[in-house]
Amino acid sequence: MTGHHEHLLGDTNHEFAEDDGSAPEGLREAMAAASSGDQAAYLDAIVELCLARLLIPIVAAGENLHPEGPDPDRHAEMSAVLLQQADGAKAMLAFTGVDALAAWNPRARPIPATLDRVAEAAVMSGAGTLLIDLQGPITMSLEEPLLSNLGRGRRLVRMEDGYGWLATRDESAPAESAHDHGHDHGHGHHHGHDHEHGHQGHGH
């Protein structure tokens, strides 16, 4: 790691006090498997993402207009990143590690967060897509209605018969079967595969 990324993420959030910014173990391998287009592998990657620490990039507002950029220590001039896609839709960015973040923009500041908080921020900002590791090594896309489920504090988990949603916040209900609520996975797969039968695959 180089430059301003050589610090513990706990400087920003004490919950991640011992986090050095490296990608969580096994996460990128799961994302690579999902890139093959296999439905079960994609859901497995979502399960891993739900357990991982992600990084939200914060950049100086207007730095593209001013080469030197504003003072990065002035929080009032820092903002999260939203991309405008070709079809006009908004996409929010997140990264698995500081190396992937620096490959996209070495001047961006990493803010650690869990997937549910990242998804919640994306939904609140009007972004219908969350792009993870935009510059690689593996890029993964999460879309609606998957984002809204995650943003409600739900976590995708493996169940005996496949996958289900586990409430981690105010909801007290047990995990719901992804088979019964398969439309929740909707078009979350950037390869366009149908997740209606999210229970199939590794359901043993």
Side-chain angles (χ1 to χ4, degrees):
M1 301 175 193
T2 59
H4 65 281
H5 294 302
E6 292 181 344
H7 63 269
L8 294 176
L9 297 179
D11 294 349
T12 305
N13 189 324
H14 294 298
E15 180 182 352
F16 304 96
E18 300 302 319
D19 195 324
D20 65 358
S22 300
E25 184 177 357
L27 179 57
R28 288 179 178 172
E29 289 78 2
M31 291 171 60
S35 68
S36 67
D38 179 73
Q39 175 184 337
Y42 180 83
L43 294 176
D44 282 340
I46 299 297
V47 169
E48 293 300 323
L49 283 166
C50 285
L51 300 174
R53 177 273 300 134
L54 297 176
L55 301 176
I56 299 176
I58 303 296
V59 299
E63 72 171 8
N64 293 330
L65 300 178
H66 306 284
E68 297 303 318
D71 183 352
D73 292 323
R74 294 181 60 185
H75 294 277
E77 295 187 5
M78 304 298 287
S79 61
V81 178
L82 285 177
L83 291 185
Q84 192 84 10
Q85 301 186 99
D87 59 0
K90 295 178 182 178
M92 188 170 176
L93 302 183
F95 297 87
T96 57
V98 290
D99 55 343
L101 174 63
W104 170 72
N105 183 348
R107 298 178 62 178
R109 174 180 296 179
I111 302 297
T114 53
L115 179 60
D116 61 319
R117 297 301 183 185
V118 176
E120 182 180 27
V123 172
M124 291 181 65
S125 64
T129 302
L130 174 64
L131 295 174
I132 300 176
D133 287 356
L134 183 61
Q135 296 297 324
I138 297 293
T139 301
M140 190 166 172
S141 173
L142 282 64
E143 301 176 0
E144 289 289 12
L146 182 63
L147 282 183
S148 291
N149 269 290
L150 294 167
R152 290 167 58 189
R154 290 182 164 195
R155 176 184 299 168
L156 189 67
V157 296
R158 297 183 186 90
M159 302 176 68
E160 290 185 2
D161 61 344
Y163 304 85
W165 289 111
L166 176 66
T168 61
R169 295 188 199 167
D170 298 330
E171 299 174 334
S172 58
E176 299 178 11
S177 170
H179 174 55
D180 296 332
H181 300 269
H183 62 281
D184 286 347
H185 298 303
H187 304 290
H189 198 325
H190 62 295
H191 292 284
H193 285 259
D194 184 6
H195 289 175
E196 184 175 355
H197 301 290
H199 69 293
Q200 71 181 39
H202 307 297
H204 301 293

